[in-house]
Amino acid sequence: MRKYVIMGVQGSGKGTHAGLLEADLNLVHIGVGDILRWNVQHHTKVGAQVRRIMAAGSLVDDDLIEGIVQDRLAQHDWNFGFIIDGFPRNPRQAEFFLESYDIDGVIHLDLPDSEVRRRVMARRLCSVCGVDYSLIDNSPKVDGKCDACGGELLIREDDTEEALNVRLREYHAKTNPVLDIFRRKEYVITVDSRPPKPQVQQAIRAKLGLPAYAPERQAAAS
Ligand code: AMP
């Protein structure tokens, strides 16, 4: 059983690298932002509560987020473990998390703010199935259409200059202290997220002592 947290600024590749670990190691990838976006898209009560906060780039209320994480983990569909992305995002959430779960490691993807801007502005999201694209290195085959389901690709509502500025400020002010909490427990491995994806994935695995990254194995399995 492996239990990891993946942290990093917006656009640092948390979803991508968590997805690669999920596919290869049978981990369940829990993306808190994905769960919130699903709720917004499906017009649920939670969706109505969080939509405007998310669009502005601010953080959603802690009680609500902790409830979502608790419910998701209580499904216990993670026999081989989980990798949680987008949580915890402030010291209170970190304390809550550490009280309830043991974790094996925190993957910290490090990316300078200038590179964050370039990546976030190139990001596109399928409006139907939620798959992520990047116009820098992972463009769809047909412009504006999802390769997987043909859905329309959109810019995330919070991928604007203004919202990004808020999110970067929030990250540096609130999420950096979370890393300090985890560092005190010696959980954190830091990986430079600027190199190409396979190199970053390999560096994560080497630091965590996991099996090497073999893209051909993943392609065969999918
Ligand atoms: P993400 O997809 O991780 O970038 O999250 C998108 C947005 O969802 C964030 O900008 C917040 O508004 C909200 N959100 C996601 N995770 C959390 C969290 N742990 N605490 C508070 N708000 C969150």
Coordinates of all heavy atoms in Angstrom, one line a residue, residues 10 14 32-34 36-37 53-54 57-60 65 85-89 93 156 158 167, ligand 1:
Q10 N 0.1 25.7 -9.8 CA -0.7 25.4 -10.9 C 0.2 25.2 -12.2 O 1.1 25.9 -12.4 CB -1.7 26.6 -11.2 CG -2.7 26.8 -10.2 CD -2.2 27.3 -8.9 OE1 -1.2 27.9 -8.8 NE2 -2.8 26.9 -7.8
K14 N 1.0 18.3 -11.7 CA 0.5 17.4 -10.7 C -0.4 16.3 -11.2 O -0.2 15.1 -11.0 CB -0.3 18.1 -9.6 CG 0.5 19.1 -8.8 CD -0.3 19.7 -7.7 CE -1.5 20.5 -8.1 NZ -1.3 21.9 -8.6
V32 N -8.6 16.7 -6.1 CA -9.6 17.4 -5.4 C -10.2 18.5 -6.4 O -11.5 18.7 -6.4 CB -9.1 18.1 -4.1 CG1 -10.1 18.9 -3.5 CG2 -8.7 16.9 -3.2
G33 N -9.4 19.2 -7.1 CA -9.9 20.2 -8.1 C -10.8 19.5 -9.1 O -11.8 20.0 -9.6
D34 N -10.4 18.2 -9.6 CA -11.3 17.5 -10.5 C -12.7 17.2 -9.9 O -13.7 17.3 -10.6 CB -10.6 16.2 -10.9 CG -9.3 16.3 -11.6 OD1 -9.1 17.4 -12.3 OD2 -8.4 15.4 -11.5
L36 N -14.2 18.9 -7.7 CA -14.9 20.2 -7.6 C -15.4 20.6 -9.0 O -16.6 21.0 -9.2 CB -14.0 21.3 -7.0 CG -13.6 21.1 -5.6 CD1 -12.6 22.2 -5.2 CD2 -14.8 21.1 -4.6
R37 N -14.6 20.4 -10.0 CA -15.0 20.8 -11.4 C -16.1 19.9 -11.8 O -17.1 20.3 -12.5 CB -13.8 20.7 -12.4 CG -13.0 22.0 -12.4 CD -11.9 21.9 -13.5 NE -10.9 20.9 -13.1 CZ -9.9 21.2 -12.3 NH1 -9.7 22.3 -11.7 NH2 -9.0 20.2 -12.0
I53 N -15.9 31.0 -6.3 CA -14.6 31.0 -5.6 C -13.5 30.4 -6.5 O -12.5 31.0 -6.6 CB -14.8 30.2 -4.3 CG1 -15.9 30.7 -3.4 CG2 -13.4 30.1 -3.6 CD1 -16.3 29.8 -2.3
M54 N -13.9 29.3 -7.2 CA -12.9 28.7 -8.0 C -12.5 29.6 -9.2 O -11.3 29.7 -9.5 CB -13.4 27.3 -8.6 CG -13.4 26.2 -7.5 SD -14.1 24.7 -8.3 CE -12.7 24.2 -9.2
G57 N -10.0 32.0 -8.5 CA -8.7 31.5 -8.1 C -8.5 31.4 -6.6 O -7.4 31.2 -6.1
S58 N -9.6 31.7 -5.8 CA -9.4 31.6 -4.3 C -9.6 30.1 -3.8 O -10.0 29.3 -4.6 CB -10.4 32.5 -3.6 OG -10.3 33.8 -4.1
L59 N -9.3 29.9 -2.6 CA -9.4 28.6 -2.0 C -10.8 28.4 -1.4 O -11.4 29.3 -0.8 CB -8.4 28.3 -0.9 CG -6.9 28.2 -1.3 CD1 -6.1 27.9 -0.1 CD2 -6.8 27.1 -2.4
V60 N -11.4 27.2 -1.6 CA -12.7 26.9 -1.1 C -12.6 26.6 0.4 O -11.6 26.2 0.9 CB -13.2 25.6 -1.9 CG1 -14.4 25.0 -1.3 CG2 -13.4 26.0 -3.4
I65 N -14.0 21.2 1.9 CA -12.9 20.4 1.2 C -12.6 19.1 2.1 O -12.5 18.0 1.5 CB -11.7 21.2 1.1 CG1 -11.9 22.4 0.1 CG2 -10.4 20.4 0.7 CD1 -12.0 21.9 -1.4
D85 N -4.0 14.8 -5.1 CA -3.4 16.0 -5.7 C -4.4 17.2 -5.5 O -5.6 17.0 -5.6 CB -3.3 15.6 -7.2 CG -3.7 16.5 -8.3 OD1 -3.8 17.7 -8.1 OD2 -4.0 16.0 -9.4
G86 N -3.8 18.3 -5.0 CA -4.6 19.5 -4.8 C -5.0 19.6 -3.3 O -5.8 20.4 -2.9
F87 N -4.5 18.7 -2.5 CA -4.8 18.7 -1.1 C -3.7 18.0 -0.3 O -3.1 17.0 -0.8 CB -6.1 17.9 -0.8 CG -6.5 17.8 0.6 CD1 -7.4 18.7 1.1 CD2 -6.1 16.8 1.4 CE1 -7.8 18.7 2.4 CE2 -6.4 16.8 2.8 CZ -7.3 17.7 3.3
P88 N -3.3 18.5 0.8 CA -3.8 19.7 1.5 C -3.1 21.0 1.0 O -2.0 21.0 0.4 CB -3.3 19.5 3.0 CG -2.1 18.6 2.9 CD -2.3 17.8 1.6
R89 N -3.9 22.1 1.1 CA -3.4 23.3 0.5 C -3.2 24.4 1.5 O -2.8 25.5 1.2 CB -4.5 23.8 -0.5 CG -4.1 23.5 -1.9 CD -5.0 24.1 -2.8 NE -4.9 24.5 -4.1 CZ -5.2 23.8 -5.2 NH1 -5.5 22.6 -5.1 NH2 -5.1 24.3 -6.3
Q93 N -5.6 22.2 6.7 CA -5.9 20.9 5.9 C -4.8 19.9 6.1 O -5.1 18.7 6.2 CB -6.0 21.2 4.4 CG -7.3 22.1 4.1 CD -7.4 22.4 2.6 OE1 -6.6 21.8 1.8 NE2 -8.3 23.2 2.2
R156 N -9.9 26.5 -18.9 CA -10.5 26.5 -17.6 C -10.9 27.9 -17.2 O -10.2 28.8 -17.4 CB -9.5 25.9 -16.6 CG -9.7 24.4 -16.4 CD -8.5 23.8 -15.6 NE -8.3 24.5 -14.3 CZ -7.6 24.0 -13.3 NH1 -7.0 22.8 -13.5 NH2 -7.4 24.6 -12.2
D158 N -10.7 29.3 -14.5 CA -9.7 29.9 -13.6 C -8.3 30.0 -14.2 O -7.3 30.4 -13.6 CB -9.6 29.2 -12.2 CG -9.3 27.7 -12.3 OD1 -9.4 27.2 -13.5 OD2 -9.1 27.1 -11.3
R167 N -4.1 32.7 -7.6 CA -3.7 31.4 -7.2 C -2.3 31.3 -6.8 O -1.9 30.6 -5.9 CB -4.1 30.4 -8.3 CG -5.6 30.1 -8.4 CD -6.0 29.8 -9.7 NE -5.7 28.5 -10.2 CZ -5.6 28.1 -11.5 NH1 -5.7 29.0 -12.4 NH2 -5.3 26.9 -11.8
Ligands
AMP1 P1 -6.7 22.6 -9.0 O1 -7.4 21.8 -10.0 O2 -6.0 21.8 -8.0 O3 -5.9 23.7 -9.5 O4 -7.9 23.3 -8.1 C1 -8.8 24.2 -8.7 C2 -9.4 25.1 -7.7 O5 -10.2 24.3 -6.8 C3 -8.5 25.9 -6.8 O6 -8.1 27.1 -7.3 C4 -9.5 26.1 -5.6 O7 -10.4 27.1 -5.8 C5 -10.2 24.8 -5.5 N1 -9.5 23.8 -4.6 C6 -8.9 22.6 -5.0 N2 -8.3 22.0 -4.0 C7 -8.6 22.8 -2.9 C8 -8.2 22.7 -1.5 N3 -7.5 21.6 -1.1 N4 -8.6 23.7 -0.7 C9 -9.3 24.7 -1.1 N5 -9.7 24.9 -2.4 C10 -9.3 23.9 -3.3

